[in-house]
Amino acid sequence: MVDALGNLVRFLLLPGQAHDMKGVAPLIRGVSFDALLADKAFDADWLIQDLDERGSTAVIPPKTNRKIQRDYDAEIYKWRHLVENYFAKIKEFRGIATRYDKTDCSYAANWNLVAALIASR
């Protein structure tokens, strides 16, 4: 999760075979925000309902297989490139991109280290 400036706010390690939707609820728990920008993979009714209850806007394009297509703000969605840019910055560090670390603990520690290095630039 990155903020509006493209800086890391929080990250969560999931098993490689798990879908990203499993990590959304613990990732956004306790974080306040006005809008959540995400790609089509995060188009789930429970997430959109949760965001509505929080008073946040869901800027998530609907999946093409939705029976009732819903609207989203395409102009705000263009700012989702900040997330992709952050991952590009992270991938500059080869150990993170190729996941050299053997344990989750050391991998998470390296993420924190790289996030601090990126923030200090």
Side-chain angles (χ1 to χ4, degrees), residues 52-121:
D52 285 341
E53 290 170 2
R54 289 173 157 222
S56 298
T57 306
V59 185
I60 304 170
K63 291 182 182 175
T64 55
N65 63 353
R66 263 192 181 271
K67 290 183 180 179
I68 300 172
Q69 294 289 316
R70 56 177 184 70
D71 292 330
Y72 73 100
D73 192 336
E75 288 300 312
I76 294 176
Y77 184 72
K78 290 179 183 178
W79 287 93
R80 200 183 73 79
H81 77 279
L82 292 172
V83 176
E84 302 301 330
N85 291 352
Y86 191 80
F87 279 104
K89 290 176 190 175
I90 287 286
K91 288 179 181 179
E92 291 174 10
F93 296 86
R94 189 170 167 208
I96 296 290
T98 56
R99 202 174 194 290
Y100 283 152
D101 300 303
K102 298 292 182 197
T103 64
D104 290 344
C105 182
S106 62
Y107 187 62
N110 279 329
W111 259 87
N112 286 319
L113 177 63
V114 169
L117 288 172
I118 290 172
S120 68
R121 289 183 181 174

Side-chain angles (χ1 to χ4, degrees), residues 3-43:
D3 62 9
L5 299 175
N7 300 315
L8 184 68
V9 174
R10 187 182 282 181
F11 73 97
L12 179 67
L13 291 177
L14 296 173
Q17 72 277 11
H19 191 275
D20 291 339
M21 282 300 292
K22 293 186 183 218
V24 172
L27 190 65
I28 64 174
R29 186 177 302 126
V31 179
S32 63
F33 47 84
D34 293 330
L36 177 72
L37 283 69
D39 60 9
K40 289 181 180 186
F42 295 93
D43 181 26

